[in-house]
Amino acid sequence: MARTRAASSSGLADSSATGGFTGANLIRILAGGDGAHPHIHEKSAEVCYVLEGAMEILLDDRIETVGKGGFVVLPPGMPHAFAAPEDSAAEIFIYITPGVERFEFFRLLQRITREAEPESAPEAIQDRYDERFTRVGRRRSY
């Protein structure tokens, strides 16, 4: 099956490097690419800051476009997903607090993209990474 996910992640600080206070990642998404399936974080708040380009973000039941310099605060429990619009790539700084060890989760997503792991692999480890998926399917299908 062809993958539509077109994102890469650079881990900046995992929870263990910050005493559990935070985690930070830099996400790059190609124009029209998916960034994340719809999900929630039950314990953590997340901040997304757009460094370059724009992102489309699903916030509960609405989709908004956030341009360069914009940010979104996602409280625990808010369903969300993000992607790049068809006409713009996106570079997004993501900050989560309290911190969760998520670097291995992002490596798992990269293995899924390369078809080295099944798409169902994250379901068994959602609690470990405070990443609970809310819908089946890719971001473009919500």
Side-chain angles (χ1 to χ4, degrees):
M1 173 167 49
R3 305 286 186 225
T4 59
R5 197 169 181 84
S8 66
S9 173
S10 299
L12 301 176
D14 220 350
S15 178
S16 59
T18 66
F21 292 108
T22 191
N25 292 296
L26 182 63
I27 307 291
R28 293 179 182 92
I29 310 170
L30 299 176
D34 290 338
H37 292 265
H39 65 282
I40 63 169
H41 305 289
E42 294 176 347
K43 301 172 188 166
S44 300
E46 188 170 30
V47 175
C48 300
Y49 179 77
V50 181
L51 295 168
E52 292 292 335
M55 76 171 173
E56 292 177 344
I57 187 163
L58 172 70
L59 300 168
D60 203 4
D61 61 353
R62 68 187 192 284
I63 299 172
E64 294 190 16
T65 300
V66 180
K68 180 178 179 178
F71 71 94
V72 177
V73 177
L74 304 159
M78 175 177 274
H80 61 282
F82 56 89
E86 294 295 328
D87 62 349
S88 176
E91 185 175 52
I92 308 161
F93 173 75
I94 297 180
Y95 176 91
I96 191 165
T97 187
V100 177
E101 292 290 311
R102 294 178 62 190
F103 288 1
E104 182 55 35
F105 180 75
F106 286 113
R107 286 190 281 272
L108 172 63
L109 294 180
Q110 290 170 351
R111 291 193 303 271
I112 291 169
T113 300
R114 294 189 314 266
E115 297 185 355
E117 296 273 355
E119 285 195 19
S120 61
E123 293 171 10
I125 56 172
Q126 293 181 84
D127 290 336
R128 182 185 323 160
Y129 299 109
D130 191 24
E131 189 99 8
R132 177 131 337 255
F133 296 102
T134 60
R135 298 186 192 169
V136 176
R138 299 220 167 267
R139 175 250 172 244
R140 297 290 178 205
S141 65
Y142 55 61

